[in-house]
Amino acid sequence: MSRALPKYNKRRVAIIGGAAAVALSGAVIAGSALAGETSKSNDGQAATLASPGTISCPAVDGSLPAIPASAQDEVTRNLALLDTQIAEADQRLIDTVGQGGANFVQNAILGPLEDKRVAVLNRIETAIGRTAAKPEGLEALAPCELDTGGAAEAGEEAGAEPTGAATEEPGGNAGDAGATEDAGDTGDAGAVGTVDCPAVEGSLPAIPASAQDEVTRNLALLDTQIAEADQRLIDTVGQGGANFVQNAILGPLEDKRVAVLNRIETAIGRTAAKPEGLEALAPCELNQ
């Protein structure tokens, strides 16, 4: 969104000399004298003039086996959801251009998108596996990348404030640069808080012996994910805006937990009644 250049108002100049005052009026056209001001005004908008790029993800359709008729509707819905997720990530690229630091796109857009895709791809595997051979390894199609054509880096540079300290502040508000630095300097593990997630083990049914090892590994993975999120809270203290923790830590953690909980359901469901609804245990919150 670009702003039109301001209209330069005519200024009246009065020249008074001797005993007689002679009023002269004329139009003063602001040209090169205001060039620096115009350039300064445009600096804040430069990021919007450069394309932030688009998200490029591997195609999934061509990697699927024959889909049973009973699974067709569910698979179709999830394939459509993958497209929706990419469109939402593209829009987020536009909405957040110039925000965060060097790793903002990876941490707040590409990483969360990969976790969401893993969860959807797991659901596709499960849907097919109910009545046919379950495909494995679709998670390899989850990672996406930023296709910029060189534009994204230029956009981030243009959107950055001239004082290096303000580059971590969304919107590039130089006035808040000092506060951002202070947060980074004074933050410690005690001030950051920890991630609090619902316990999963107590919500599981009896686990068949054949699934015990897989379920145990995935329960351990849930603990690892929480520990990693706690560490990320410490490593990124003071970064981003008000929603940084939700967008870059809690949201991605929820998506990862959904994928693991789906795997636990599938492991148990191979030789016993499959538990449903474990995804309700995925959301976590910040405990300060």
Side-chain angles (χ1 to χ4, degrees), residues 18-83:
V22 181
L24 301 177
S25 64
V28 179
I29 301 175
S32 59
L34 295 177
E37 198 169 322
T38 303
S39 174
K40 182 178 178 182
S41 171
N42 284 344
D43 280 348
Q45 304 301 321
T48 63
L49 299 179
S51 168
T54 57
I55 303 294
S56 177
C57 301
V60 174
D61 259 351
S63 298
L64 298 180
I67 302 172
S70 59
Q72 185 66 62
D73 286 348
E74 186 173 355
V75 170
T76 299
R77 282 197 304 273
N78 280 292
L79 289 173
L81 180 55
L82 291 173
D83 291 337

Side-chain angles (χ1 to χ4, degrees), residues 95-119:
D95 295 341
T96 61
V97 65
Q99 289 189 19
N103 296 320
F104 178 83
V105 171
Q106 178 61 46
N107 293 336
I109 300 178
L110 292 180
L113 175 60
E114 178 177 347
D115 295 328
K116 290 178 182 178
R117 283 172 61 84
V118 167

Side-chain angles (χ1 to χ4, degrees), residues 149-174:
E153 289 184 6
E156 285 189 16
E157 289 296 326
E161 288 294 325
T163 66
T167 56
E168 293 295 330
E169 186 70 20
N173 189 344

Side-chain angles (χ1 to χ4, degrees), residues 45-222:
Q45 304 301 321
T48 63
L49 299 179
S51 168
T54 57
I55 303 294
S56 177
C57 301
V60 174
D61 259 351
S63 298
L64 298 180
I67 302 172
S70 59
Q72 185 66 62
D73 286 348
E74 186 173 355
V75 170
T76 299
R77 282 197 304 273
N78 280 292
L79 289 173
L81 180 55
L82 291 173
D83 291 337
T84 299
Q85 290 171 346
I86 296 172
E88 290 172 345
D90 280 333
Q91 185 59 49
R92 182 149 169 70
L93 277 176
I94 296 171
D95 295 341
T96 61
V97 65
Q99 289 189 19
N103 296 320
F104 178 83
V105 171
Q106 178 61 46
N107 293 336
I109 300 178
L110 292 180
L113 175 60
E114 178 177 347
D115 295 328
K116 290 178 182 178
R117 283 172 61 84
V118 167
V120 174
L121 292 167
N122 281 336
R123 289 199 291 271
I124 290 175
E125 290 177 342
T126 300
I128 295 174
R130 290 193 186 102
T131 53
K134 180 184 175 184
E136 300 287 350
L138 291 183
E139 293 87 349
L141 304 174
C144 302
E145 57 187 26
L146 183 63
D147 183 6
T148 63
E153 289 184 6
E156 285 189 16
E157 289 296 326
E161 288 294 325
T163 66
T167 56
E168 293 295 330
E169 186 70 20
N173 189 344
D176 293 333
T180 302
E181 282 190 338
D182 289 343
D185 290 339
T186 61
D188 55 41
V192 172
T194 57
V195 172
D196 185 20
C197 301
V200 173
E201 201 160 2
S203 299
L204 297 180
I207 302 171
S210 59
Q212 186 65 61
D213 286 348
E214 186 173 355
V215 170
T216 299
R217 282 197 306 273
N218 280 292
L219 288 174
L221 180 56
L222 291 173

